[in-house]
Amino acid sequence: MSTPTTLRVWESQAMVYRKIWRSHLLLAFGQPLLYLLAMGLGVGALIDDNTASVESLGGISYFEFLAPALLATTAMISAGQASLWEVLDGFLWSNRYRAMAATPLSPTQIATGLGLWHATRTAIGVTGVAVALALFADTRTWGVVAAVPVAVLCGLAFALPLSAWSATRYGGTSFPAIIRFGLLPMFLLGGAFFPIDQLPDWLEPVAQVTPLWHAIELCRGLVIESVDPGNVGVHLGVIAAYVLAGWLACRVTFTRRLMP
Amino acid sequence: MHGNWRWPASLPCRTVATVPPSIITARDLRKQFGDFVAVDGIDFEVEPGESFGFLGPNGAGKTSTMRMVGCVSPITSGQLRIFDLDAASDGAAIRARMGVVPQADQLDAELTVVENLVIYGRYFDIPRAECRRRAAELLEFVQLTERADERVDPLSGGMKRRLTIARSLMSEPDLLLLDEPTTGLDPQARHILWDRLYRLKQRGVTLVLTTHYMDEAEQLCDRLVVMDQGCIVAEGSPRGLIDQYATREVLELRFVTGDVGDHDAAPAVDIAGIGDRSETLPDRTLIYAHDGEAALAEVHRRGLDPVGSLVRRSSLEDVFLRLTGRTLVD
Ligand SMILES: Nc1ncnc2c1ncn2[C@@H]1O[C@H](COP(=O)(O)OP(=O)(O)O)[C@@H](O)[C@H]1O
Ligand SMILES: [Mg+2]
């Protein structure tokens, strides 16, 4: 599976990232900060005065409800961005992965190395969010540190299946739909901005099978230090299942694409 | 290799050390994409230090063959051994010793010239410092030292091609595969490239290349096979093929439309018997003769009046025309 050569793929991606890290980090740090200020404090001020609302949030402030979820949503968005056009580029335009395939690297190693890179890139972005959370007293807990790897895993749960998909594409026509009808609804409705029991009955189970909701629940529990230990296994298990399935799919689609 | 002689089953079997193994041995090699047969059972061998070419028109199966040799495309059937290893099972080990210049450049536009080389060396697990040393040396070799820290994008086609060749040499390969190394380049860029490849050959690197240019094959190849529709239709040295399938000289005649050269007006009647044989193309008539000037004199003696005539030495183009009845580049 992963010999040290796999890391060369990671190295190649890191070399490219070195040129854009500022804009990536600024986005990863700045965007959640904006949400925290606008939604967390602004909208929160309206909600927190309402007893019924506070009850439905589980007795915490809206800020405490929203802020930890941004770790998971940022991971999802950042990983999604890195897995669509950027991956297609490696097969279609820059042909980065084709160049790699002509070397001793195998398609599986290329896919695995890319997965490791996705994890790293997501970790960088999520750390930006963690720093933003640490700016506010309500969310300055050690749980933030524990939530970072959960968010990274969440990123992989999107990055690997989407990379597998991109490896089968000959153009990006499906990508805007994936974002508009996949990632964006999850971001808005997946439990970050309000509890999913507010969703229509038929939509709630849908939210519950997304890796995002499980990651949000876990991150929130960790940050506000009220994790239900019984649920940790389920949450991690669902997210890990997406990661594993995505990696297996990547192995297949990368091999098919690179060694026809 | 040894005709029909088989090693008697009663004798102990030992490797024959006197015959050095070929760098590439292909036997009945086939490649199919679904029902479509791209390579239809070809046999060839490439010896160490040799410069070997696949000549053929677009769609002949050259790239498909190169990709199988490059171990980035599984063979459909047959046998393919490279460095005496099996392409089907030892792909990674084979790729480690081989340099590849693909038909389309695969340079990383986000990286600089030198970064492109260094990262490629890293794929072969070469230490970073060594990568930088080799990169500097190779940039010198392909005359791109001044561009080292520029991005790849603004480079000309010829420069990108040279950079791709430099990149393929990062692992100091024993065997270099080049898929149409000069297609799309202007004459000057092609000559620079040929010169570099010629130097590599002198250093003992085995070159395997594909081309649909005659002059390229004649310049670079010690030996070549002519491919058409997935099959090998001839094999030999450029000179040998020309001697075998063409005459020493060719007389090219152009007639005004409606005259003898016109496709429908059987020209064979008038030029029959001049030279060894003739080919009528849409725009010209070719007469194959040992002595082109003598053939031209005969044409004039018969009262034919071509608007243009040209005597030239025959080339691989003529070989291809003879073998397939078609011109190579339309
Ligand atoms: N991945 C593929 N899938 C289907 N057909 C292919 C594929 N690659 C090549 N072919 C077909 O195989 C034939 C030979 O192609 P190729 O080997 O690229 O020829 P050449 O390099 O001599 O131009 C062409 O008809 C081409 O369309
Ligand atoms: Mg080709």
Side-chain angles (χ1 to χ4, degrees):
Chain A
M1 180 199 120
S2 51
T3 63
T5 9
T6 304
L7 290 176
R8 307 294 162 246
V9 180
W10 182 94
E11 205 175 311
S12 160
Q13 300 280 347
M15 214 167 186
V16 175
Y17 181 77
R18 263 203 343 229
K19 321 228 156 187
I20 57 135
W21 70 272
R22 280 183 203 87
S23 62
H24 175 237
L25 226 114
L26 196 71
L27 213 67
F29 176 76
Q31 221 169 30
L33 196 63
L34 257 168
Y35 278 115
L36 284 179
L37 294 173
M39 307 288 294
L41 298 179
V43 178
L46 301 174
I47 294 170
D48 294 342
D49 286 344
N50 183 324
T51 337
S53 304
V54 174
E55 216 164 278
S56 94
L57 294 179
I60 56 174
S61 73
Y62 187 65
F63 188 89
E64 289 170 308
F65 180 83
L66 173 70
L70 295 177
L71 290 163
T73 57
T74 304
M76 174 184 78
I77 301 288
S78 160
Q81 275 170 347
S83 309
L84 298 173
W85 284 277
E86 276 183 42
V87 170
L88 185 61
D89 172 65
F91 291 105
L92 211 57
W93 300 298
S94 84
N95 281 305
R96 187 175 300 133
Y97 306 131
R98 290 193 187 282
M100 290 177 188
T103 73
L105 292 165
S106 70
T108 297
Q109 286 174 324
I110 294 170
T112 308
L114 177 64
L116 290 176
W117 170 250
H118 278 314
T120 310
R121 193 184 191 278
T122 310
I124 296 170
V126 168
T127 303
V129 184
V131 170
L133 293 200
L135 295 179
F136 300 90
D138 286 351
T139 49
R140 198 180 300 139
T141 66
W142 285 112
V144 175
V145 178
V148 167
V150 174
V152 170
L153 209 59
C154 170
L156 284 180
F158 287 95
L160 291 172
L162 288 176
S163 296
W165 169 255
S166 300
T168 66
R169 298 294 92 195
Y170 289 85
T173 45
S174 62
F175 295 167
I178 289 174
I179 293 174
R180 232 168 278 156
F181 305 115
L183 303 186
L184 206 57
M186 270 189 250
F187 173 63
L188 292 173
L189 311 175
F193 292 98
F194 57 88
I196 58 167
D197 53 25
Q198 306 284 320
L199 287 170
D201 284 347
W202 62 273
L203 211 50
E204 199 180 329
V206 177
Q208 276 170 339
V209 296
T210 65
L212 183 66
W213 178 74
H214 289 277
I216 288 173
E217 286 291 299
L218 202 47
C219 286
R220 187 175 287 139
L222 287 166
V223 172
I224 63 172
E225 295 176 322
S226 71
V227 187
D228 178 354
N231 286 336
V232 173
V234 178
H235 290 320
L236 284 179
V238 171
I239 303 168
Y242 278 92
V243 175
L244 184 66
W247 180 68
L248 292 172
C250 273
R251 285 179 52 149
V252 173
T253 59
F254 275 57
T255 303
R256 277 202 198 138
R257 188 71 180 263
L258 294 172
M259 300 243 171
Chain B
M1 227 188 291
H2 304 282
N4 290 326
W5 190 83
R6 305 266 302 262
W7 191 266
S10 55
L11 291 177
C13 191
R14 242 185 259 136
T15 352
V16 188
T18 48
V19 185
S22 303
I23 281 210
I24 306 174
T25 311
R27 292 276 167 270
D28 198 22
L29 183 61
R30 284 171 62 85
K31 182 70 195 184
Q32 244 169 282
F33 297 103
D35 285 339
F36 182 80
V37 181
V39 178
D40 197 0
I42 61 173
D43 296 73
F44 62 91
E45 256 160 54
V46 179
E47 305 302 331
E50 187 177 31
S51 163
F52 183 86
F54 291 93
L55 174 73
N58 279 329
K62 305 183 297 296
T63 297
S64 302
T65 305
M66 289 292 253
R67 287 178 50 79
M68 286 191 280
V69 174
C71 297
V72 290
S73 169
I75 71 175
T76 303
S77 67
Q79 212 193 52
L80 180 60
R81 292 187 73 78
I82 301 148
F83 305 125
D84 215 19
L85 297 168
D86 188 356
S89 53
D90 303 315
I94 294 169
R95 292 195 301 271
R97 295 175 56 186
M98 193 158 56
V100 178
V101 176
Q103 188 167 343
D105 290 323
Q106 303 173 343
L107 297 166
D108 212 313
E110 324 235 12
L111 301 178
T112 65
V113 167
V114 69
E115 283 172 337
N116 261 284
L117 296 184
V118 169
I119 194 61
Y120 200 74
R122 295 293 288 151
Y123 298 155
F124 290 83
D125 230 6
I126 301 164
R128 213 160 240 289
E130 176 65 10
C131 283
R132 277 195 291 268
R133 192 191 65 74
R134 288 187 193 181
E137 204 177 279
L138 285 167
L139 285 179
E140 201 69 49
F141 177 65
V142 296
Q143 299 160 314
L144 283 174
T145 306
E146 306 83 66
R147 302 298 200 112
D149 296 316
E150 283 178 39
R151 284 170 59 117
V152 166
D153 260 344
L155 297 187
S156 73
M159 288 176 178
K160 282 186 182 156
R161 215 63 190 137
R162 263 144 58 202
L163 179 57
T164 303
I165 289 177
R167 193 174 74 163
S168 73
L169 295 170
M170 280 297 288
S171 58
E172 301 186 337
D174 309 315
L175 168 64
L176 190 59
L177 306 182
L178 302 123
D179 198 354
E180 305 206 5
T182 67
T183 298
L185 301 187
D186 60 65
Q188 197 201 347
R190 297 179 73 201
H191 279 98
I192 298 176
L193 225 89
W194 287 347
D195 172 61
R196 297 296 109 173
L197 293 178
Y198 187 72
R199 285 181 200 215
L200 284 177
K201 183 172 143 49
Q202 283 184 314
R203 287 188 197 172
V205 178
T206 307
L207 303 180
V208 174
L209 59 108
T210 75
T211 183
H212 57 230
Y213 294 123
M214 305 302 134
D215 50 351
E216 185 155 276
E218 293 180 42
Q219 282 272 339
L220 292 177
C221 301
D222 301 324
R223 205 158 58 83
L224 58 94
V225 291
V226 181
M227 273 189 94
D228 188 38
Q229 295 177 346
C231 299
I232 290 178
V233 291
E235 184 199 329
S237 68
R239 201 64 246 161
L241 285 171
I242 292 168
D243 290 345
Q244 190 177 350
Y245 295 101
T247 50
R248 197 172 72 98
E249 291 185 339
V250 187
L251 169 62
E252 292 201 10
L253 300 173
R254 283 170 206 277
F255 295 94
V256 281
T257 326
D259 205 339
V260 184
D262 194 309
H263 230 29
D264 308 318
V269 178
D270 297 291
I271 57 169
I274 307 181
D276 289 9
R277 74 198 158 77
S278 66
E279 296 275 357
T280 305
L281 304 177
D283 60 333
R284 64 213 145 108
T285 298
L286 306 180
I287 295 174
Y288 290 91
H290 181 75
D291 184 345
E293 292 297 343
L296 182 59
E298 175 64 13
V299 167
H300 286 307
R301 202 190 59 76
R302 292 193 188 183
L304 294 170
D305 189 21
V307 293
S309 66
L310 164 78
V311 175
R312 58 168 175 84
R313 281 162 61 86
S314 61
S315 72
L316 284 172
E317 174 82 54
D318 302 297
V319 172
F320 189 79
L321 187 63
R322 173 71 190 275
L323 288 167
T324 67
R326 284 174 290 119
T327 51
L328 200 56
V329 191
D330 333 271

